[in-house]
Amino acid sequence: MELSGIQKIIEKNGTHRSALIPILLDIQDEYHFLSRDALACVAQTMDIALVDVYRAATFYKYFSLVPKGEHLIQVCLGTACHVRGAPGVLNEIQRKLHIKPRETTEDKLFTLETVNCLGACAMGPIIVMDEEYHGQMTVSKVDKLIESFKKHEGITKDEQDKKH
Ligand code: FES
């Protein structure tokens, strides 16, 4: 993680204390986690005690102090989704990616999380991939969805290789 990138994010948001959360959100979005160095840089540049920056970073579930994957998969385990088969969908994702909730695949492509009721129970069971809702999920639909993401990443990586 380059600290010049962190500095740019701070410059964009300003150093007023009220900018702390927007800054942490921007860093999380850009780097998929909040590193120790990034938090120290934020504390120093904004003249805020490091403990206060950590307090904000650990208060919100959205923030992660360890690297997250490129793609975030959230499986709803609320009651309606649960009775419609969410546990089976979750099991399939775990089996396919070899990770448990709150873990990230070795290739840093996917992070898996569980959530409680996304407010769209009629579509259950639901998973959210990178903020996009996918309803009426089944084991075979999950397989196809993950494969399509992997394929897309493969194409992207090939394209990147050609550029270098
Ligand atoms: S229980 Fe899953 S959206 Fe409500």
Side-chain angles (χ1 to χ4, degrees):
M1 183 179 290
E2 291 202 18
L3 291 182
S4 62
I6 305 296
Q7 290 287 0
K8 275 188 196 149
I9 288 172
I10 296 170
E11 273 171 35
K12 187 186 93 182
N13 287 281
T15 55
H16 189 271
R17 206 181 171 93
S18 62
L20 177 59
I21 299 299
I23 286 169
L24 296 180
L25 283 168
D26 282 356
I27 296 171
Q28 176 72 49
D29 287 344
E30 179 75 22
Y31 299 100
H32 306 294
F33 82 116
L34 305 174
S35 71
R36 285 172 56 135
D37 286 351
L39 295 179
C41 178
V42 168
Q44 191 177 10
T45 310
M46 296 183 74
D47 198 20
I48 297 175
L50 185 57
V51 67
D52 289 338
V53 176
Y54 264 95
R55 192 171 293 135
T58 52
F59 183 78
Y60 296 100
K61 205 178 162 194
Y62 180 76
F63 297 134
S64 173
L65 301 186
V66 294
K68 279 194 180 182
E70 284 286 311
H71 303 290
L72 177 62
I73 306 174
Q74 295 173 302
V75 180
C76 179
L77 290 182
T79 307
C81 287
H82 196 278
V83 298
R84 291 176 187 205
V89 170
L90 177 62
N91 281 342
E92 180 60 11
I93 296 171
Q94 293 183 134
R95 187 194 67 76
K96 203 161 171 60
L97 298 179
H98 309 288
I99 52 172
K100 294 190 174 101
R102 302 184 67 86
E103 290 182 354
T104 297
T105 54
E106 264 182 40
D107 59 7
K108 303 274 183 282
L109 210 48
F110 298 100
T111 294
L112 178 60
E113 289 180 354
T114 57
V115 291
N116 287 317
C117 193
L118 294 156
C121 307
M123 289 170 64
I126 292 181
I127 72 168
V128 182
M129 284 199 68
D130 298 337
E131 298 181 6
E132 192 174 324
Y133 283 51
H134 299 270
Q136 275 98 40
M137 287 310 293
T138 60
V139 168
S140 64
K141 277 186 181 175
V142 161
D143 278 346
K144 278 187 196 147
L145 193 60
I146 291 174
E147 285 310 318
S148 74
F149 269 79
K150 282 184 175 174
K151 198 172 165 191
H152 179 262
E153 284 297 326
I155 291 166
T156 304
K157 281 185 182 126
D158 286 345
E159 283 170 358
Q160 281 174 353
D161 289 344
K162 280 180 202 162
K163 286 180 190 167
H164 296 293

